[in-house]
Amino acid sequence: MPRFVTVVVDPPPVHLGVYKSVLEQMDIECACVSAQGLREFDEKQRCIGILYDLSARAGGGVEAVERIRKIPGFERTPIVLITDAPVEFTEFGLADCLILPLVPDLLRNKIRAFLEVRAREEGYRAMVDHPTEFIFLLAAVRNAAGEIEDCRYVDANRNGLRLLGATRETLLGRTVSQVLPDRAERVIALCSKVLQTGSPHQYESGFGSAEFVACVFPIGPDSVAVFSADVTSRNHAEREVQRLVKALYAEKEWLFAALNSIHDEVYFTDPQGRYTYANPAALRAFGHGSVQGG
């Protein structure tokens, strides 16, 4: 099954021929869709990049990238805008532009860059899909005053998706307020604190019947990563040990109280014959106040 790049915004025929020729030479499928059709595009997993041809449309390039980034499944897809003038990207990663006229060699270089990004993305995905860790990447959502009012999910590993009962398509792009309304206020406040101080924060929390140790740390001026480990079994084991120790201590106290109350002489010794315990009746018979040093 070939990899492919998506060409959007109905490129003019003169450009479409160049796109298809270059991509076919690189054994990459060319899929043409409209801007609206990009939302319904069902091959996002195979998409290595987007060529957004703005040559026949009016509108800013940054706004075009922003709209794509809000489409679930395209949050990290590389994008190249085909434009008449350079576009300055100050907030969006994995975005670039190609200035007209369309030159096949330059286009080919952009596609190779797509492939390099895809290879890094696959390596990144293998790393974050840790068998035991629950990982989320969140981006701050700011209001007009620049204050963080929410956080948006931009990535999650398989464990994180399973924990929330979601898929990448249903989670990414949504906010914490939408996904976890009952704990959104705490999460947003924590992310805001981490971004403000630049320091990680570790805490313990529960989700359903599971217990977690989580660490939130900044990975950019507006993004945080949340790494959580399921410590349910560990905590249950620790509580069971504490319960057993308390039960053993209580049983020991009860036994000593019973031995101290009887009139028969009771004492214990170690393998070397040294006394380790003697009840009051035995101490009276020995003529000692205690067995220490005996």
Side-chain angles (χ1 to χ4, degrees), residues 11-38:
V14 63
H15 290 171
L16 181 57
V18 177
Y19 295 140
K20 287 187 174 181
S21 175
V22 170
L23 294 172
E24 288 174 2
Q25 291 172 14
M26 301 180 73
D27 191 31
I28 298 173
E29 182 182 335
C30 179
C32 299
V33 299
S34 65
Q36 181 59 36
L38 191 61

Side-chain angles (χ1 to χ4, degrees), residues 203-283:
Y203 65 99
E204 293 197 20
S205 181
F207 193 89
S209 60
E211 300 173 13
F212 296 90
V213 170
C215 182
V216 182
F217 55 92
I219 56 173
D222 261 348
S223 301
V224 300
V226 183
F227 278 59
S228 301
D230 190 335
V231 293
T232 308
S233 298
R234 186 201 71 181
N235 288 353
H236 284 177
E238 290 179 352
R239 287 192 289 267
E240 180 62 13
V241 169
Q242 293 173 357
R243 187 190 68 79
L244 291 174
V245 169
K246 289 182 180 179
L248 181 61
Y249 181 79
E251 186 175 346
K252 178 181 176 182
E253 290 294 305
W254 177 86
L255 177 61
F256 282 173
L259 292 175
N260 290 339
S261 67
I262 64 178
H263 299 294
D264 294 329
E265 300 167 12
V266 180
Y267 58 86
F268 304 132
T269 63
D270 61 20
Q272 288 72 40
R274 293 173 296 198
Y275 293 106
T276 59
Y277 168 80
N279 71 345
L283 291 175

Side-chain angles (χ1 to χ4, degrees), residues 39-89:
R39 290 187 171 276
E40 285 75 43
F41 193 62
D42 59 0
E43 293 277 13
K44 296 182 179 69
Q45 295 304 315
R46 289 205 300 135
C47 182
I48 62 170
I50 295 173
L51 296 176
Y52 202 140
D53 195 317
L54 294 174
S55 60
R57 296 294 184 100
V62 171
E63 290 79 2
V65 173
E66 187 176 26
R67 286 194 296 271
I68 294 175
R69 289 287 178 249
K70 292 180 179 179
I71 301 175
F74 285 132
E75 295 85 356
R76 295 181 57 83
T77 304
I79 302 170
V80 169
L81 300 180
I82 315 300
T83 67
D84 294 313
V87 177
E88 293 294 333
F89 297 101

Side-chain angles (χ1 to χ4, degrees), residues 69-293:
R69 289 287 178 249
K70 292 180 179 179
I71 301 175
F74 285 132
E75 295 85 356
R76 295 181 57 83
T77 304
I79 302 170
V80 169
L81 300 180
I82 315 300
T83 67
D84 294 313
V87 177
E88 293 294 333
F89 297 101
T90 58
E91 300 181 21
F92 300 98
L94 302 177
D96 198 355
C97 66
L98 188 61
I99 307 303
L100 294 170
L102 199 57
V103 179
D105 284 344
L106 295 180
L107 178 59
R108 208 171 280 113
N109 289 337
K110 295 296 183 182
I111 303 305
R112 290 195 184 99
F114 282 170
L115 296 175
E116 292 176 1
V117 170
R118 181 64 175 237
R120 290 197 298 269
E121 180 74 14
E122 290 175 350
Y124 155 81
R125 181 58 51 196
M127 177 181 68
V128 301
D129 275 331
H130 193 279
T132 59
E133 294 281 343
F134 298 77
I135 303 174
F136 302 95
L137 301 185
L138 300 172
V141 177
R142 298 182 182 272
N143 57 25
E147 302 167 334
I148 297 176
E149 60 182 9
D150 212 330
C151 291
R152 177 169 48 87
Y153 290 93
V154 296
D155 206 353
N157 70 350
R158 280 193 292 261
N159 285 339
L161 294 173
R162 187 173 66 251
L163 179 68
L164 297 180
T167 64
R168 292 179 61 81
E169 289 72 21
T170 60
L171 178 67
L172 304 190
R174 300 184 68 197
T175 64
V176 173
S177 295
Q178 293 171 325
V179 178
L180 301 171
D182 58 328
R183 59 182 67 198
E185 183 177 352
R186 287 172 291 167
V187 173
I188 296 167
L190 179 56
C191 292
S192 299
K193 178 181 178 181
V194 169
L195 288 173
Q196 181 179 8
T197 63
S199 300
H201 180 81
Q202 184 168 310
Y203 65 99
E204 293 197 20
S205 181
F207 193 89
S209 60
E211 300 173 13
F212 296 90
V213 170
C215 182
V216 182
F217 55 92
I219 56 173
D222 261 348
S223 301
V224 300
V226 183
F227 278 59
S228 301
D230 190 335
V231 293
T232 308
S233 298
R234 186 201 71 181
N235 288 353
H236 284 177
E238 290 179 352
R239 287 192 289 267
E240 180 62 13
V241 169
Q242 293 173 357
R243 187 190 68 79
L244 291 174
V245 169
K246 289 182 180 179
L248 181 61
Y249 181 79
E251 186 175 346
K252 178 181 176 182
E253 290 294 305
W254 177 86
L255 177 61
F256 282 173
L259 292 175
N260 290 339
S261 67
I262 64 178
H263 299 294
D264 294 329
E265 300 167 12
V266 180
Y267 58 86
F268 304 132
T269 63
D270 61 20
Q272 288 72 40
R274 293 173 296 198
Y275 293 106
T276 59
Y277 168 80
N279 71 345
L283 291 175
R284 287 192 297 270
F286 297 156
H288 295 290
S290 73
V291 296
Q292 294 180 356

